[in-house]
Structures are given as structure tokens and as C-alpha cells.
Amino acid sequence: MFGWLTRILDHNEREIRKMAPVVRRINEREPDLKRLSDTELRGKTDEFRDRLKRGETEDDILPEAFAVVREAAVRSIGQRHFDVQLMGGIILHQGKIAEMKTGEGKTLVAALPIYLNALSGRGAHVITVNDFLAERDSRGKGDFMGMANIYEFLGLTVGCLLNTMKDTAERKKAYETDITYGKNSEFGFDYLRDNMATAGEYIVQRKLHYCIVDEVDSILIDEARTPHIISGPAEESTQLYFDIDRIIPRLAAEKDYKIDEKLKNVTLTEEGVFNVEKLLHLENLYDERNIDVLHHVVQALRAHTLFKKETDYIVKESKVVIVDEFTGRLMPGRRWSDGLHQAIEAKERVKIEEENQTMATVTLQNYFRMYEKLAGMTGTAKTEAQEFAEIYRLEVLTVPTNQPMVRMDHADQVFRTEREKFNAIIEDLSDCYERGQPVLVGTTSIDKNEKLSGMLKRRGVPHEVLNAKQEEREAAIIANAGQAKSVTIATNMAGRGTDIKLGAGVADVGGLYVLGTERNESRRIDNQLRGRSGRQGDPGMSRYYLSLEDDLLRLFAVESLQKWMGKLGMQEGEVIEHPWVTKAIERAQKAVEGRNFEIRKHLLEYDDVMNKQREIIYAQRRAILEGEDISGLVAGMIDEMVDGAVGLHVPKTGEPAEGALPNLCAWLKSTFALAVKPDEISVLRPEGVADTVKGRLHEIYREREDAFGGEQVRELERMVMLNVIDSEWKNHLYNMDRLKEGIGLAAYGQKDPLIEYKREGFTMFSAMLESIKQKTLEVLFHVKAIVPHEETRRPFAYEGWEERPALPTPMAGGPLPPTAPEGFPPGVLPGMPGAGMPMGMGMSMEQLQAVGSEGVKGTPIKRETPKVGRNDPCPCGSGKKYKKCHGAGK
């Protein structure tokens, strides 16, 4: 009796009802558009663009624009949008998330708002989870008609970013089209590379305008844990990983270390510390000199106890390749950070790649929040609605299905042991095979996938296996998964981007049966698997088989459930199937989802600190690259540095401290090559010292401009500034990483680690900005005019710089580094300056020889202070080694 009240109060239904008049207006235009010729229909694009220029909004032209796209789709690919698809398009245009069930045609839906938002000429992006879908959805593959057919029919241009595109000009062309398709990592890493470019012509992306993220929960939730990182090698010995790996089998669980599977962490016991010291011949593992060793021991223990082969990773071609826990797909090129990947390589006895140092990084959350308007679509988003709202300010609306959903979702069946569970699964699969009902079996790992396959082989049931090892055959395997007598055992990779069509007669035996062998931590992943069945009103069914030995139940669930099953005195093979059990497991999943959300939210709070700093640095770089005259900035830096130094050494009243004036003179000499004696300063009034020094420095700089030529000095300023910013930013990222690692200790002092991180990070960032000024001025004031040899085109040389081999310049109008891994994730990028530092980032000032293409040796500077060794304590007093502090990157 209260059904009508529930509907009124249901926000989703109210929003859907609001769209009915707009859908009606779209449908009313259909008869008139059908009478237009192809040329006349295409002419609507120019008409819409003209109307937008005259002041109309995209909302004003939406009904007619959507009607045009629908008619173009009918003529170009033979498909017509349903009314519910028009509603999905409206939701996406509004900058919201459209939750649409599998088989409802999300790809076609996206064409509506993408066309509308591309009319402004500012570009519209469609983000996919992999290259295959980007190419298929844009250009089409097999019998799938790509959306480019619609857009190009209407006169718009379409680009597709693929990992195989290594040429800068090719990628830039893809971004300059009206509509660009591509994998999320392609967009993210292009953003980072753009902000490491050494010239404006190497920037490929335009300002981020409108974007639709396909499988939005996979990209913005699941992949949000892993930031995009471009990195270069750090100076760490790989032998240490092998040395530590050898002692791990000699340590015993519980006695020497404790394992926390929930948090994926390992801690040494007191006895374990003693044994490690004994095995590694150390006096004190917690001595400052052994902190790195302690870190490597813990990572090696994690590698051996928490990261499992065939579940978390596989070894392929003598390389450790990560398996995505959410999709079951391989992630070639991705590497775990903080030495974990190297520890696993040592465990598997494969070549250990060098540990990497971050050169540039951005989280997916902060990248996608840069779009003016962001939208997304998926079949499973409602369970994460809170996170979408809090992090991205995205509302989730569920679009009604075109045909009623008739799939039957059965309650979970719970067994005591995994063995009993697998035996029951085999019986069920054998029965389905005999009846001719196709089954898609979902497993959580490659290991379980292959175990189940072995049991079916022994039972004599023909089947297909789909996991990351058979990724190349994925399309063929899925194409046959809905045929009669088909049994397909798949990891989570079958839960995304797949559309299983039923074969002849399958509907009569119940449709596709989805059988889950284990619940995932996230309800979304379970729902994705279920969503493979029951598309477009097809019959189907789903069921999950569980055991008390499953990770979710063992770690997170339901002590009451375990006690209850124990009291029942269950016999071998006995099963519990009850909606209450299913609800109890869902509650456990909700608890885990909430915890994971808090972890992602916490990580984002820390990254927001870096994001503000990143915005400042990247904005400064972009201004320089766009040719902004920074001579005024240089002049201001001179004044600021001199005012600060003089204020520090020369008091406004009274006599300077002993040694202050000689120190000031030494600083002026080292920074500006300005020879001033203490006696010359002492005769000046305190308030006149800064003005006199600044006047002299500005005069010297003007003389250099006259001698070198103003335009050449402007170019020198831009090049020096970029290189100094890049070098200092790289060191700052390293220091911020170290700060984040240790800031948790602040909690022991009753301080909020996040607040302390913000405070310390601000101090470090301010110090970096001062260092940028100092080093920029040092270079600019030490450059000398030289007479070039015939073969030399370099007009400047820097005193004290040694000759070095010419550095490669991969972005100079040519290709990106060859053989770069997918998405250019963590790992050294071949062929880039500084072995993995793109476009000059990380080039030390010693490497910046001068402007031009060949090196010229200048007059050496005599060293006035003792040389500091890389392993010596840093003179700044931080307690760190010089190579880890002010010597980083040198």
C-alpha cells in the first residue's frame, strides 16, 4: 500500500522521470530528420556549431543533437537508440554516472553526449580499460561496428590512442581530433610527459574538457590505488636482494615474524630481529646505518608469505608480471614499489631490475578531477556511490533496462572445506554439460582456475580455460561461451567488457549459468560476473559456491557463521543454503569495501598535498614552454635572493657578526661570480648594501644581454630554468616519498601524521623553490661567451662543467622511447635522457653543458670546500648520507 510513496521518495526514479519530456522531444524530431538527405543530415553539425557560437548552450540543442546522432547511427551502422539509451545519454551529458546492465549498449549510448560535447571544438575523450576496447569502440573490430562510423558520418574527426603509438606527432594528432578514444593510462602518462617536455611542440594534450569513463568503477575505484608514475633508476645494489632472500627460509612464522593477511603486512618479533642480525652478521638491525637492510628484510618476508605465484603474479619470459586482482589481467610493465617487486624477483630467481626513483607521478583521482566535466558508465556503480560522490562529486543514476531482467540469482551454497566445495562444483558442472546448459565459471586466481580445470579433465568434461595466460584467445573463447554444452572457466577478466550471446536452444535449458567459486572482497566484482548472464531479457541463472576456507570468510567474515556451522555438526559434503547466509557474507563485503574506501581516501588526502605542489611546478613549466618572457622573473629572483642574503648577514643596527661579511662575499662569488671584498661592504650603510649589490648585478646582467644578444639570453633563461626545475622537482619527489614513509611515527608523539606531512611538505617545498632560484642564478651568472669552433654551434659554456657525451633527445620531433612497456608505468623508459628521465628531467646541472648540440669545455672552477663523498654524512646535518640528501641526483 506504500509502494506509491516509496516511488515518490526514490531519488533515482524521480530523476529518470524528469527525463521523459526530453526523450519525447527527441522522438518528435525523428520523422523530420528521416526526410533529410545524408548531406543535409551532416550539415546539422555546422548548424549546431554556429548556434553554440551565437550563445546557445549544449542543453538548448540537446534534443535535436541526440535525434541527429540516432538517425546517423541508423544510417551508418544500422543501430537505433532505445528510449532508455537516450536517458543514459542525458545522464552522461549531465556529468553523472549511468549504471546500465550488461548488454544494454553502453558504447552506443556514449555516442550521444560525446557528439554533443565535441561540437564546441575543445575535444571529448572516451576512456576505456584497455587498448582492445579503445580500438574496437572507436574503429570497430570483427562484427562490432565502431562509433567512428557515426561521428565521421556527421563530419567530426576521431582519434584513437594506442600504446603502439610512439611518435609524438602521431599522438598529438590523435588529441587534436574532435573525439579521442584511449586507455586511461595513455591519457595519464601523456599528461606527465607533457609536463616534462623541453619544448612546447612536444606537448600533445589540450586542456581537459569533457570525458566519459567506460567501466568507471574499474578505473576510478579499483585502479585508483595505483598512481601513474614515470621513474628512473636509483643507485641501489641488486645483490642485497639476493643476499636477504637467502635467509628468509631460515626464519619461522610466528616465532620470527607475525603475518597480518588483512593488512598484507609482516612484522619481525624480538627473536626474529636477533636471528636476522645473526644471519646477516649485524650488530644492531635498528642502527641508522641498517635501516635499508631492515626495510629489505620486511619486503622479502612479504614477498614469500603474502604474494603468491599464479595468484598475484606470474613469471613470464623470466620476468615477474603482476596480475590485476580485480580484472585477472596481466599488467606488463607495472611494478610494485619500495623494493617489493625486486624482492619477488629474488624469490623467483629471475633477473632483478633496478629499483626506481619517481620522476613524475599523478593519481588517477587527481588526473580525472582536472576535466571540466567528467562522466562515467558501468554495470556496477551503486555499491560505490558514496565514494564517487565524495571523491569525484559524481552522482550515480541507474538506467532502466530495455527488457525486464529475468535472471535467477540463487542463494550462496556454503561448505566446510574447499575440497568439498570443489567436489560439489564438479557435480554441478557435469550435470549442466549433460543437459546442454552453458556455464561460465568465475575463479579468483589463475591457480584456482587451473586446479578446477584439472578436476574437470579427470571427470571427462570438455571445457575452455580463460586466464591471463590465454589473453590472446579471450575474444574467441568468450564468443563461444554461450553455446550449448559450453563450459568456460575464467578469472575475473571475463567480468568486464564481454557480451556473451546465447546459442541456439540455450534459452530452453535455462540460459547462461554463471557459477562463482568464491566471493570477492567487493560486491561489484561479484555483480560483474553475474552480469554476464541475463542480457537484454535473456534467461539465465547465477550461484556462488563458498567454503569456510575461502579468504573472505576466513579473514573477514562472520565468526558467528563459522560457530553456527560448527554447532550444526555438519557431515562431509553437507551444504548450507539460506538467504541469511548470503546477507551475512554481503555484510562482510560491505565492511571490507568501507575499509578499502577509507584507505583510498587516506591516500588521496596525502596526494592532495603533492597535487597542489605539482600544479604550481607544472604551471611554471608550462608558462616557460609557451614562450613567456621570464626575464622579469629572473630579475625578481636576483632581488629576492640578495635581499634575503643581506638581511641574514648585515643587521640593520649594530655591527655584523664575526665572519658574516666574508660569508656574504663568498656567497656572492659562488652564486653570481661577483667579486666583492668585505671592506667594500663594511663602508656602506646597512640599508644601502642590498641596493648597491642588486644594482651591480642588474648592470652585469644587462651587459651580458648586450654581449650575447637578448634573444639568445631569453632562450638560455628558459632552458636553464626548465632543467633546474626538473632536477629539483625530481629530488623533491624522492624526499617527499621518504617523508611519507616515516611520517606515521608522528602518531607516537600524539600528533596527526597528515597534519605533520602537510607542514613538513610545505617546508620542503619552500626550500625547493629557494633552491631553484639559487641554482638558476648560479648557472646564468657563470655562463661565458666563447668563440665557437667551426664544428661547434654553441654560444655559451659554463665554468666548471666537464665534457660529457651528447644526451639523446627522443622527443625532438621524433618517436617516443622504443619498446616502452604498456602505459609507460614504473620502470626505466629506454632511450630517455638520464636513463629513464624523459625530456631532460633529472639531468644534473653538470650535464647541462650549454645551449646547442655539442659540448665545449669551459674554464674549471677551483674547489674551495672539501669534496663530500656520496656515502659520507650530508654537510646539512640531516643525518642522512649525502647521496640520499643534497647529493641526490648528482
Side-chain angles (χ1 to χ4, degrees):
M1 65 179 291
F2 295 106
W4 63 271
L5 180 60
T6 304
R7 286 195 296 273
I8 290 175
L9 296 176
D10 187 285
H11 172 73
N12 193 90
E13 188 162 336
R14 289 202 310 273
E15 292 297 311
I16 294 297
R17 285 185 175 183
K18 286 180 185 177
M19 298 175 196
V22 182
V23 172
R24 198 160 45 244
R25 288 161 59 194
I26 296 170
N27 289 333
E28 288 170 354
R29 286 165 168 75
E30 189 170 22
D32 293 336
L33 293 175
K34 284 192 174 299
R35 287 192 287 269
L36 298 180
S37 67
D38 288 356
T39 302
E40 290 171 327
L41 187 64
R42 188 175 296 112
K44 284 290 183 180
T45 297
D46 293 331
E47 176 191 323
F48 292 147
R49 282 175 164 166
D50 187 55
R51 287 165 62 182
L52 289 173
K53 289 178 181 176
R54 293 203 308 267
E56 287 192 61
T57 66
E58 289 159 342
D59 290 339
D60 294 332
I61 66 172
L62 183 149
E64 191 170 358
F66 275 27
V68 165
V69 173
R70 179 159 70 178
E71 181 60 26
V74 172
R75 299 188 191 189
S76 60
I77 64 174
Q79 296 182 34
R80 180 183 179 276
H81 294 82
F82 302 125
D83 284 0
V84 291
Q85 290 177 310
L86 298 178
M87 292 177 179
I90 294 168
I91 292 169
L92 293 173
H93 169 69
Q94 292 172 343
K96 299 175 182 178
I97 291 174
E99 183 183 74
M100 303 180 68
K101 300 300 180 186
T102 301
E104 293 296 304
K106 293 190 290 291
T107 305
L108 185 63
V109 169
L112 298 161
I114 283 292
Y115 170 80
L116 176 58
N117 285 271
L119 291 170
S120 66
R122 292 186 291 164
H125 297 165
V126 181
I127 311 294
T128 63
V129 293
N130 56 50
D131 277 354
F132 171 82
L133 291 176
E135 194 170 14
R136 186 202 71 172
D137 293 354
S138 59
R139 294 295 173 189
K141 270 198 174 183
D143 60 354
F144 189 93
M145 300 291 287
M147 297 302 102
N149 293 284
I150 302 173
Y151 304 134
E152 290 172 352
F153 181 91
L154 292 172
L156 297 185
T157 56
V158 182
C160 181
L161 287 171
L162 299 173
N163 184 249
T164 53
M165 296 167 56
K166 305 302 181 187
D167 187 77
T168 306
E170 190 180 10
R171 298 181 79 85
K172 191 169 187 174
K173 183 179 179 182
Y175 280 109
E176 287 173 346
T177 57
D178 295 310
I179 298 160
T180 308
Y181 281 75
K183 182 181 175 181
N184 66 85
S185 58
E186 296 300 314
F187 290 91
F189 283 109
D190 278 336
Y191 166 75
L192 292 177
R193 286 191 288 267
D194 280 356
N195 286 288
M196 299 166 74
T198 54
E201 60 264 31
Y202 307 144
I203 295 175
V204 298
Q205 280 189 351
R206 294 189 281 172
K207 187 176 180 182
L208 303 178
H209 169 228
Y210 177 69
C211 164
I212 293 177
V213 181
D214 191 13
E215 305 295 0
V216 64
D217 53 326
S218 176
I219 293 174
L220 298 191
I221 302 293
D222 297 338
E223 295 197 29
R225 293 182 181 184
T226 308
H228 289 326
I229 299 173
I230 290 179
S231 55
E235 289 188 22
E236 296 291 343
S237 170
T238 58
Q239 184 59 41
L240 180 61
Y241 294 102
F242 283 123
D243 292 342
I244 289 175
D245 186 77
R246 291 190 187 100
I247 75 167
I248 299 303
R250 301 172 68 178
L251 301 176
E254 295 305 316
K255 184 170 78 78
D256 292 313
Y257 57 86
K258 302 283 187 182
I259 303 171
D260 187 335
E261 290 187 76
K262 290 184 181 180
L263 298 178
K264 280 212 164 187
N265 200 15
V266 179
T267 53
L268 285 167
T269 64
E270 190 173 338
E271 187 173 355
V273 171
F274 173 78
N275 285 334
V276 169
E277 290 171 343
K278 181 179 175 182
L279 291 167
L280 293 177
H281 307 292
L282 299 174
E283 289 186 10
N284 181 4
L285 184 59
Y286 286 94
D287 187 283
E288 183 182 348
R289 293 170 297 178
N290 297 325
I291 291 299
D292 285 346
V293 176
L294 173 61
H295 173 73
H296 288 321
V297 169
V298 172
Q299 293 294 59
L301 285 169
R302 293 181 70 213
H304 277 263
T305 60
L306 294 169
F307 289 80
K308 302 172 184 175
K309 188 177 179 180
E310 306 296 320
T311 299
D312 300 295
Y313 65 90
I314 67 169
V315 177
K316 185 177 182 181
E317 298 175 356
S318 297
K319 290 183 180 292
V320 171
V321 183
I322 298 173
V323 177
D324 190 313
E325 64 177 304
F326 297 103
T327 67
R329 298 180 186 277
L330 295 181
M331 299 195 290
R334 293 280 182 96
R335 294 178 65 82
W336 284 297
S337 60
D338 293 330
L340 175 60
H341 207 97
Q342 287 82 356
I344 293 174
E345 288 169 333
K347 166 190 168 186
E348 297 296 339
R349 295 294 186 265
V350 300
K351 181 185 176 183
I352 295 179
E353 304 291 339
E354 291 180 316
E355 192 167 350
N356 297 313
Q357 179 179 337
T358 300
M359 304 299 171
T361 178
V362 65
T363 59
L364 283 169
Q365 292 103 319
N366 277 320
Y367 175 75
F368 282 107
R369 292 196 299 188
M370 286 188 277
Y371 277 93
E372 291 179 27
K373 184 161 64 171
L374 176 65
M377 52 189 186
T378 181
T380 48
K382 269 296 183 184
T383 56
E384 311 294 344
Q386 180 187 356
E387 184 163 354
F388 283 122
E390 287 192 31
I391 304 299
Y392 302 100
R393 297 181 182 175
L394 286 171
E395 182 182 354
V396 178
L397 292 176
T398 301
V399 181
T401 57
N402 188 51
Q403 298 289 338
M405 173 71 73
V406 295
R407 185 186 70 233
M408 294 179 60
D409 296 328
H410 296 287
D412 297 346
Q413 290 200 340
V414 185
F415 295 82
R416 287 188 311 166
T417 65
E418 184 178 81
R419 177 178 54 79
E420 295 172 65
K421 176 183 75 172
F422 271 57
N423 288 336
I425 289 172
I426 295 299
E427 292 298 327
D428 198 355
L429 292 177
S430 299
D431 177 64
C432 290
Y433 177 73
E434 294 298 328
R435 293 187 293 103
Q437 183 176 20
V439 189
L440 176 65
V441 184
T443 62
T444 56
S445 70
I446 297 173
D447 182 52
K448 300 282 178 65
N449 185 277
E450 294 179 342
K451 178 179 178 180
L452 196 57
S453 173
M455 295 177 71
L456 279 177
K457 284 179 183 176
R458 290 190 291 274
R459 187 64 175 262
V461 177
H463 62 280
E464 285 279 8
V465 175
L466 175 58
N467 58 42
K469 294 180 178 180
Q470 291 84 31
E471 204 165 5
E472 299 80 10
R473 298 181 55 236
E474 177 181 358
I477 292 173
I478 289 298
N480 293 316
Q483 303 301 311
K485 286 185 172 291
S486 172
V487 177
T488 307
I489 307 174
T491 54
N492 287 335
M493 64 189 295
R496 286 282 187 195
T498 54
D499 198 2
I500 300 174
K501 298 179 181 178
L502 301 185
V506 168
D508 297 332
V509 292
L512 178 66
Y513 175 22
V514 169
L515 189 156
T517 61
E518 193 170 334
R519 286 278 200 163
N520 290 273
E521 287 187 10
S522 169
R523 289 170 294 163
R524 283 184 301 105
I525 310 299
D526 294 340
N527 292 338
Q528 288 158 17
L529 181 62
R530 276 199 166 114
R532 300 307 101 196
S533 175
R535 62 179 293 279
Q536 284 289 339
D538 286 341
M541 59 183 289
S542 70
R543 171 179 280 128
Y544 274 87
Y545 282 79
L546 312 177
S547 82
L548 295 182
E549 294 177 348
D550 294 348
D551 287 344
L552 180 72
L553 273 64
R554 182 172 57 84
L555 296 176
F556 299 103
V558 230
E559 288 184 19
S560 57
L561 174 62
Q562 294 171 339
K563 290 177 181 177
W564 180 42
M565 293 182 71
K567 289 178 180 178
L568 289 176
M570 294 176 61
Q571 301 299 313
E572 176 77 17
E574 194 172 347
V575 61
I576 287 181
E577 180 178 351
H578 196 284
W580 287 359
V581 176
T582 301
K583 289 292 183 185
I585 293 167
E586 286 184 355
R587 283 196 297 272
Q589 288 177 304
K590 284 182 181 179
V592 178
E593 288 167 1
R595 189 199 67 173
N596 289 339
F597 171 36
E598 288 303 318
I599 291 172
R600 287 190 293 267
K601 187 176 178 182
H602 186 64
L603 290 173
L604 183 60
E605 288 172 339
Y606 277 85
D607 188 67
D608 282 341
V609 177
M610 279 301 304
N611 195 53
K612 291 180 175 63
Q613 299 177 3
R614 180 167 47 239
E615 288 172 354
I616 293 170
I617 291 296
Y618 285 177
Q620 195 171 42
R621 285 191 98 262
R622 186 61 63 96
I624 296 170
L625 287 175
E626 291 175 351
E628 183 176 307
D629 186 345
I630 61 171
S631 58
L633 177 61
V634 172
M637 288 163 56
I638 294 171
D639 291 347
E640 289 175 21
M641 294 296 292
V642 171
D643 285 338
V646 171
L648 184 65
H649 293 90
V650 182
K652 292 183 179 179
T653 58
E655 294 295 320
E658 185 178 353
L661 294 184
N663 288 341
L664 176 59
C665 293
W667 178 79
L668 291 171
K669 173 70 173 176
S670 64
T671 304
F672 300 105
L674 180 64
V676 180
K677 295 179 181 179
D679 293 345
E680 297 177 66
I681 297 177
S682 63
V683 299
L684 297 171
R685 290 186 302 174
E687 61 271 19
V689 173
D691 291 340
T692 301
V693 171
K694 286 187 291 187
R696 178 60 185 140
L697 291 176
H698 287 305
E699 182 183 347
I700 291 172
Y701 205 74
R702 284 193 297 271
E703 291 172 355
R704 299 166 83 75
E705 289 179 343
D706 294 339
F708 298 161
E711 185 53 42
Q712 287 186 322
V713 170
R714 298 289 84 81
E715 180 61 29
L716 177 67
E717 289 171 344
R718 285 192 289 270
M719 188 193 70
V720 170
M721 192 86 175
L722 280 177
N723 275 271
V724 173
I725 287 173
D726 289 347
S727 179
E728 292 298 301
W729 178 243
K730 178 200 72 173
N731 294 336
H732 180 68
L733 289 175
Y734 176 85
N735 292 330
M736 290 294 285
D737 282 347
R738 301 287 78 78
L739 174 64
K740 187 160 62 174
E741 283 180 11
I743 202 66
L745 296 174
Y748 290 105
Q750 305 301 311
K751 295 180 180 179
D752 186 332
L754 179 59
I755 293 175
E756 291 302 301
Y757 180 74
K758 290 179 179 179
R759 186 179 63 79
E760 291 288 340
F762 176 77
T763 301
M764 291 164 60
F765 185 68
S766 300
M768 182 199 70
L769 295 179
E770 290 302 308
S771 184
I772 288 174
K773 297 175 190 175
Q774 171 91 17
K775 293 186 176 180
T776 299
L777 294 176
E778 283 181 8
V779 176
L780 292 176
F781 274 85
H782 283 82
V783 170
K784 282 189 174 183
I786 63 171
V787 179
H789 299 292
E790 287 186 14
E791 70 276 11
T792 305
R793 298 185 300 278
R794 192 183 295 276
F796 303 106
Y798 177 64
E799 290 186 9
W801 280 337
E802 59 186 80
E803 285 186 340
R804 293 172 183 261
L807 292 167
T809 53
M811 296 294 283
L816 288 169
T819 67
E822 181 179 355
F824 305 94
V828 180
L829 307 188
M832 284 191 164
M837 307 174 206
M839 286 73 64
M841 186 155 189
M843 289 164 58
S844 65
M845 295 315 300
E846 290 88 348
Q847 289 173 304
L848 178 60
Q849 297 158 318
V851 182
S853 60
E854 297 182 9
V856 177
K857 191 167 184 176
T859 305
I861 292 179
K862 292 182 179 179
R863 183 181 297 280
E864 297 181 358
T865 58
K867 182 174 180 178
V868 181
R870 292 188 55 72
N871 291 308
D872 294 341
C874 187
C876 74
S878 65
K880 300 178 182 178
K881 291 181 181 179
Y882 179 64
K883 69 178 182 180
K884 294 287 189 181
C885 193
H886 283 74
K890 295 185 179 180

